[in-house]
């Protein structure tokens, strides 16, 4: 394949300056451009192609180029046998630089050591901290020279490693690190399926295919050449190997006939090459094929006959390559061919030999024993269960579930098989792979009639379905589990009902609430279940449950102290009940831990972001949205991603960025079925309405706000729709729809009754004030501002002050209007709510106060992330400490500060505190 062979017609080919691949000149230039581009910034390139298309050769070429340019190289190669070993790919990639991990902050060092199995851990480390540790380590390694990270055959990299690489890829813009990822065209690659440059290696065209054949030691001619071109279909490896096969044997005996796919045809060729080798060579080849990348050295050195003489025939046949790292197969298809051409007895012997060699590596030993076992074996099953336990403690959920599933297959007792399959289903939920969880649940049903196990397996399926788009099906499944468990008086009933309540929130379907209430009434009410019952009631019916739950909530939170999962759940309850300050305090108490509840968005994950938004912490709300959107996108969880996009769209609308708000809101709506996900639909419509308000387009704003209620005036969503009432009233006044809006508003007030929160009551009073005849409006404005709790929602309170101040000014009560308008402007300026700043300034000028000097500061023009960095730097934190808090590398923090200083008009870090003192307090960022 390389451009160093014979030209067509017997002439030597002219060498190009620098290495290229035949027919891949454009692709070679492209990958070199990525490797040799501005090495002060991060870059990611996904190289795709079918087996044999030349991905590995191209990645090797890029690696050589980077090394010659003085860069550093880290590399990992996926293999099928490693895919179930948690963080095996990460360990392979980082092995040359693990010594540098000693310089990481202690929390990062411990998390990385835990997932790599270097240190013991009591519980699964925070996945975000693991990702940060790898990002910081790569940044540190790149300090002395640009770093190239190459991951080949990524379709076989274990899921835990892939998630970490995805985390790093999203955060390395400021790092001199280039990530090249090679993957087969048809393979799904979670976390890398969108948002990155791709280089696809398609089939070679006819001219390039002929050039490649001409460069072979014995170029084929005549009918043989025509047949090779047809059979290879432009696949470079197939062209080379078919040419070699026909040179050694006549076409009739080459094993290339068939209508076989190119991959299968190549495997037959490689298997034929291996069959001609001496017996000692075949044995060591099979041992190497049965090993994974980390075991290859043991395979190469572990048998008495595995000396240089044994390997030489395989080297001459072109099946293996030898370098400083040892011996490896020239192509994954060679390995597959050697392995599958052997009999089961031969493969079993190879795995048993590797298991014996790997007694000090219990996880790898367990999998080799499992590969050598076809009948139930309690000892091997137990070894796999221990492997699963270790993987789960390291956060390797895919590896743990795979080990549990195989342990079940090898368990002699039927009841143990059912238990292990159930545990595997519950573990696999955290991989986001619904098909796998459903498969495991089906296996449980085929294995047992134990209602407890069947219920747990079904509950696992329902929980994962709930963060996807199939809410109707998820609710039906969860309610069936809850109903059957309630009949059996099982505690599983309330767990299932809690999950069903989340689906009810997402869907907004009213019939689901009645089913939840009926079933909850059948369950015992005691202290042990108080928190879970509070969850079910508040999630499924916050208006109806609020009056009774709100007083009990502080006590429940106090009892949950130190339990991150319970604290997070109760914080969500507080948010739903419009206890925003309590919710924020509880989220803050759970702080670093709420992210660690699993690698997927859990329950109402965006609630923390909505709490931050309502409290005026808009930068933090956007950070939450970005994290959840990235996790959900990587896992293919469209509903969870849509929730995050709707949150981000709302902040963008409030900030006065209508184009971004529309793009994000429309993305959210495209990800879901509005009838299955009414919560997302209403949040997105609210964001679209805010975007229209920012542009002064009140016709569109009214249309969007009105769409969150039915034609009859009922809320489309029982919780979210009511938050739009005041905005709807404001748009209605400008559009001349006061009468219709007033009817809808009063209908909502009657429906909510005494279960109305202080927040919604204030919104309704503001709406009444706007819709009332001018002479009757003031009592409603006063009522909207009377409740001290209203300070929890600074933006909404500022809107009311602005409206009231405007009303007073127009009633010629100018002196009374000025304090209200000034307070409103201060809040809008603090939040950088540009459209409302401009409106408040205009009102103040009309009231006789020149407000042109009250403009957004340079600080407010920074991105949310930059604002957070400035706040922390002003407090004296180092770049490394800031990176720890914000899950960024120290270099990225430094890069942000370098760009921020000129914008703020400063030259030194010591001046940051002065900048913040000159900025209106409460910029929306708290740390």
């Amino acid at each position: 394949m390389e451009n160093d062979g014979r030209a067509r017609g017997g002439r030597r080919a002219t060498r190009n300056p620098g290495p290229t691949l035949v027919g891949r000149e454009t692709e070679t230039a492209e990958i070199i451009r990525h490797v040799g581009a501005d090495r002060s910034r991060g870059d990611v390139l996904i190289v795709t192609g079918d087996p044999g298309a030349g991905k590995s050769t191209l990645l090797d070429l890029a690696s050589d180029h980077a090394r010659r340019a003085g860069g550093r190289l880290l590399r990992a190669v996926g293999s099928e046998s490693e895919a179930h070993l948690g963080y095996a790919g990460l360990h392979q990639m980082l092995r040359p630089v693990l010594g540098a991990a000693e310089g990481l902050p202690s929390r990062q060092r411990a998390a990385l050591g835990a997932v790599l199995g270097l240190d013991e851990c009591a519980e699964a480390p925070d996945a975000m901290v693991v990702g940060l540790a790898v990002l910081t380590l790569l940044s540190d390694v790149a300090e002395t020279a640009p770093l190239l990270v190459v991951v080949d055959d990524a379709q076989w990299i274990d899921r835990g490693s892939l998630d970490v690489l995805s985390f790093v890829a999203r955060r390395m813009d400021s790092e001199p690190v280039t990530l090249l990822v090679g993957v087969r065209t048809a393979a799904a690659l979670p976390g890398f399926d969108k948002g990155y440059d791709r280089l696809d290696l398609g089939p070679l065209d006819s001219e390039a295919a002929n050039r490649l054949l001409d460069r072979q030691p014995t170029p084929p001619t005549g009918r043989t050449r025509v047949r090779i071109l047809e059979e290879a279909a432009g696949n470079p490896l197939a062209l080379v190997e078919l040419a070699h096969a026909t040179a050694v044997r006549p076409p009739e005996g080459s094993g290339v006939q068939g209508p076989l796919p190119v991959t299968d045809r190549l495997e037959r060729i490689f298997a034929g090459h291996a069959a001609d080798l001496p017996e000692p060579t075949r044995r060591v080849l099979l041992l190497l094929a049965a090993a994974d990348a980390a075991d290859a050295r043991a395979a190469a050195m572990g048998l008495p006959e595995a000396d240089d003489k044994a390997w030489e025939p395989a080297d001459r046949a072109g099946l293996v390559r030898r370098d400083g790292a040892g011996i490896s197969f020239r192509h994954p298809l060679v390995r597959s061919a050697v392995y599958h051409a052997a009999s089961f007895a031969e493969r079993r012997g190879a795995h048993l030999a590797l298991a014996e060699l790997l007694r000090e590596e219990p996880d790898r030993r367990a999998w080799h024993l499992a590969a050598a076992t076809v009948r139930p074996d309690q000892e091997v099953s137990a070894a796999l269960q221990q492997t699963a336990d270790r993987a789960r403690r390291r956060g390797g959920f895919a590896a743990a579930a795979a080990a549990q599933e195989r342990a079940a297959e090898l368990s002699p007792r039927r009841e143990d098989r059912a238990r292990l399959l159930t545990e595997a289903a519950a573990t696999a939920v955290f991989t986001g792979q619904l098909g796998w969880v459903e498969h495991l649940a089906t296996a449980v049903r085929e294995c047992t009639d134990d209602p407890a196990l069947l219920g747990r397996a079904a509950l696992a399926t329902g929980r994962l379905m709930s963060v996807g788009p199939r809410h109707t099906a998820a609710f039906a499944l969860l309610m069936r589990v809850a109903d059957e468990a309630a009949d059996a008086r099982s505690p599983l009933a309330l767990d299932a009902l809690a999950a069903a309540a989340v689906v009810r929130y997402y869907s907004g379907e009213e019939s689901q609430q009645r089913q939840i209430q009926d079933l909850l009434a059948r369950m015992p009410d005691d202290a042990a279940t108080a928190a879970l019952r509070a969850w079910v009631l508040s999630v499924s019916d916050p208006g109806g449950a609020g009056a009774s739950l709100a007083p009990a909530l502080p006590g429940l939170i106090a009892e949950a102290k130190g339990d991150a999962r319970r604290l997070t759940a109760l914080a969500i309850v507080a948010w739903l009940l419009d206890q925003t300050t309590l919710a924020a305090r509880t989220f803050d108490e759970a702080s670093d831990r709420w992210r660690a509840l699993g690698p997927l968005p859990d329950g109402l994950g965006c609630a923390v972001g909505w709490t931050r938004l309502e409290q005026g912490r808009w930068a933090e709300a956007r950070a939450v949205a970005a994290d959840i959107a990235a996790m959900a996108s990587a896992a293919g969880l469209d509903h969870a991603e849509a929730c995050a996009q709707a949150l981000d769209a709302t902040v963008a609308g409030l900030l006065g960025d209508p184009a971004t708000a529309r793009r994000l809101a429309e993305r959210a709506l495209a990800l879901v079925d509005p009838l299955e996900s009414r919560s997302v639909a209403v949040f997105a419509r609210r964001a679209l309405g805010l975007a229209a308000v920012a542009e002064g387009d009140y016709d569109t704003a009214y249309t969007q706000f009105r769409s969150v209620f039915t034609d009859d005036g009922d809320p489309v969503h029982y919780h979210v729709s009511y938050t739009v009432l005041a905005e709807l009233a404001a748009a209605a006044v400008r559009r001349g729809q006061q009468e219709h809006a007033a009817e809808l508003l009063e209908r909502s007030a009657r429906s909510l009754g005494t279960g109305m929160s202080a927040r919604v009551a204030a919104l309704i009073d503001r709406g009444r004030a706007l819709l009332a005849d001018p002479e009757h409006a003031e009592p409603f404005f006063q009522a909207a501002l009377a409740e001290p709790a209203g300070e929890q929602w600074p933006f909404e309170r500022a809107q009311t002050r602005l409206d009231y101040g405007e009303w007073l000014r127009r009633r010629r009560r100018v002196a009374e209007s000025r304090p209200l308008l000034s307070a409103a402007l201060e809040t809008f300026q603090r939040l950088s709510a540009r459209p409302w700043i401009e409106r408040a300034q205009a009102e103040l000028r009309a009231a006789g106060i020149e407000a042109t000097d009250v403009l957004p500061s340079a600080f407010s023009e920074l991105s949310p992330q930059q604002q957070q960095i400035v706040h922390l730097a002003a407090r004296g934190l180092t770049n490394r400490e800031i990176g720890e808090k914000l899950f960024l590398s120290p270099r990225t923090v430094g890069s942000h500060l370098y760009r921020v200083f000129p914008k703020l008009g400063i030259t030194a870090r010591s001046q940051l505190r002065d900048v913040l003192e000159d900025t209106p307090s409460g910029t929306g960022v708290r740390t």
Side-chain angles (χ1 to χ4, degrees), residues 557-831:
I557 290 170
E559 292 173 9
K561 190 174 183 63
D563 185 333
R565 185 175 295 275
R566 287 180 65 196
L567 283 171
T568 301
L570 290 168
I572 292 171
V573 170
W575 168 70
L576 288 163
L577 300 182
D578 284 330
Q579 301 283 315
T580 304
T581 300
L582 180 61
R585 189 164 61 243
T586 309
F587 276 127
D588 287 342
E589 188 176 345
S591 61
D592 296 336
R593 297 297 303 147
W594 75 267
R595 303 171 187 258
L597 300 181
L600 303 179
D602 183 31
L604 292 163
C606 275
V608 66
W610 289 114
T611 301
R612 305 299 193 223
L613 181 149
E614 290 161 13
Q615 205 183 20
R617 297 160 69 174
W618 291 358
E620 293 177 66
R622 299 200 82 173
V624 170
D627 283 342
I628 292 179
M631 286 189 290
S633 176
L637 301 174
D638 288 349
H639 176 83
E641 182 183 352
C643 291
Q645 301 287 15
L647 168 60
D648 204 14
T650 304
V651 183
L654 292 170
L655 290 168
D657 184 358
T660 298
R662 277 195 297 271
R663 175 177 57 79
L664 293 168
E666 287 164 2
R667 168 67 176 161
L669 290 170
L671 285 167
V672 298
D673 177 349
L675 295 180
E676 289 267 349
S677 301
R678 291 178 179 86
S679 61
V680 168
V682 173
F683 276 130
R685 294 294 176 195
R686 186 175 77 168
L688 289 170
L690 290 169
V693 169
E695 294 179 312
D697 180 2
Y698 291 98
D699 284 344
T700 298
Y702 178 81
T703 300
Q704 294 293 350
F705 294 143
R706 181 63 183 80
S707 71
V708 308
F709 292 88
T710 68
D711 291 342
D712 294 333
D714 292 326
V716 170
H717 190 272
Y718 61 92
H719 177 243
V720 189
S721 289
Y722 293 125
T723 66
V724 183
L725 284 170
E727 299 289 357
L728 173 62
V733 169
R734 292 177 178 266
R735 196 170 181 262
Q737 294 286 342
Q738 291 96 318
E739 184 177 347
H740 294 300
E743 290 176 2
L744 190 150
L745 187 111
E746 295 306 327
R747 180 188 180 103
S748 297
R750 288 192 300 271
S751 176
L752 287 166
T754 58
M756 189 187 308
S757 71
R759 179 191 178 199
V760 174
L763 292 174
I764 289 177
D765 281 327
R766 178 190 168 214
R768 284 169 170 162
L770 293 168
L771 295 168
D773 292 336
E775 60 271 21
H776 300 139
E778 186 164 25
F780 297 119
F781 279 129
Q782 291 173 338
L785 293 172
E787 175 59 60
E791 296 299 333
Q792 294 178 85
W793 311 289
F795 178 75
E796 292 168 4
R797 174 142 288 203
Q799 287 180 298
T800 304
R801 285 174 172 145
L802 175 60
D803 291 334
Y804 189 16
E806 182 181 29
W807 181 88
L808 287 167
R809 184 189 62 76
R810 291 180 177 179
R811 305 293 289 179
R812 301 186 184 279
R813 295 160 61 180
V814 176
E816 295 174 72
S817 74
R818 289 170 178 167
L820 288 165
L821 294 172
S822 297
L825 178 60
E826 189 279 331
T827 299
F828 295 143
Q829 195 276 339
R830 172 165 56 87
L831 298 174

Side-chain angles (χ1 to χ4, degrees), residues 298-311:
M301 306 302 294
L303 294 182
E305 62 266 39
D307 54 18
D308 286 345
K309 291 182 180 179
W311 290 111

Side-chain angles (χ1 to χ4, degrees), residues 524-533 556 559 566:
D525 185 0
D526 53 49
T529 62
L532 208 50
R533 289 180 71 88
L556 292 172
E559 292 173 9
R566 287 180 65 196

Side-chain angles (χ1 to χ4, degrees), residues 247-421:
V248 174
R249 304 171 179 167
E252 292 72 24
S254 65
V256 299
Q257 308 98 318
L260 289 174
V262 170
T263 298
D264 293 343
R265 195 175 296 121
L266 285 168
E267 285 197 351
R268 282 195 176 185
I269 292 172
F270 291 136
H273 294 341
D276 294 335
L277 297 175
E279 177 63 23
T281 302
R282 290 204 307 274
R283 280 202 301 273
V284 295
L285 269 181
L286 179 56
L287 196 67
L288 188 63
D292 59 39
D295 303 342
R297 185 171 181 81
M301 306 302 294
L303 294 182
E305 62 266 39
D307 54 18
D308 286 345
K309 291 182 180 179
W311 290 111
E312 284 173 1
D315 198 358
R316 288 196 301 271
L319 299 177
V320 298
R321 57 184 171 196
R322 309 181 71 176
D323 53 36
I327 299 172
S328 60
F329 285 108
R330 187 163 58 86
H331 194 278
L333 292 178
V334 180
R335 174 184 182 174
S336 179
V338 168
Y339 187 81
H340 292 291
S343 67
F344 174 75
E346 291 170 326
R347 294 199 300 269
R348 182 175 186 273
H351 284 295
L352 289 174
L354 286 166
E356 183 63 29
L357 289 169
L358 294 167
R359 285 193 169 275
E360 301 302 315
E361 298 281 348
D363 294 339
R364 299 180 188 279
R365 179 176 182 273
W367 278 107
H368 283 299
L369 289 173
T373 307
V374 291
R375 296 184 179 85
D377 187 308
Q378 183 58 45
E379 183 179 342
V380 178
S381 177
L384 285 167
Q385 291 176 56
Q386 293 170 2
T387 287
D389 290 340
R390 285 188 289 269
R392 192 168 47 240
R393 288 197 301 272
R394 296 196 299 266
F397 296 102
Q404 288 166 330
E405 183 178 16
R406 183 63 175 137
E409 293 169 358
L410 295 178
S411 180
R413 300 176 61 207
R414 186 182 181 87
E415 55 268 34
D416 288 339
R417 288 199 297 275
R419 174 183 56 79
L420 287 166
L421 287 168

Side-chain angles (χ1 to χ4, degrees), residues 81-168:
S81 63
E82 280 190 310
H84 51 245
L85 290 170
Y87 297 102
L90 194 63
H91 195 283
Q92 185 188 157
M93 182 184 87
L94 297 179
R95 186 184 296 128
V97 294
L98 282 178
E102 291 300 316
L104 293 174
S106 58
R107 190 167 68 127
Q108 296 179 36
R109 185 173 65 250
L112 183 61
V115 299
L116 296 181
L118 304 176
D119 300 308
E120 289 297 321
C121 54
E123 59 181 23
D126 186 337
M128 299 276 284
V129 178
V130 175
L132 178 61
V134 175
L135 177 64
T136 305
L137 179 58
L138 296 183
S139 179
D140 290 348
V141 170
E143 280 286 348
T144 55
L147 174 65
L148 175 63
V149 179
V150 176
V151 180
D152 199 3
D153 282 319
Q155 71 277 357
W156 292 324
I157 293 290
D158 65 276
R159 182 60 184 270
S161 297
L162 205 57
D163 288 343
V164 171
L165 286 170
S166 174
F167 175 96
V168 169

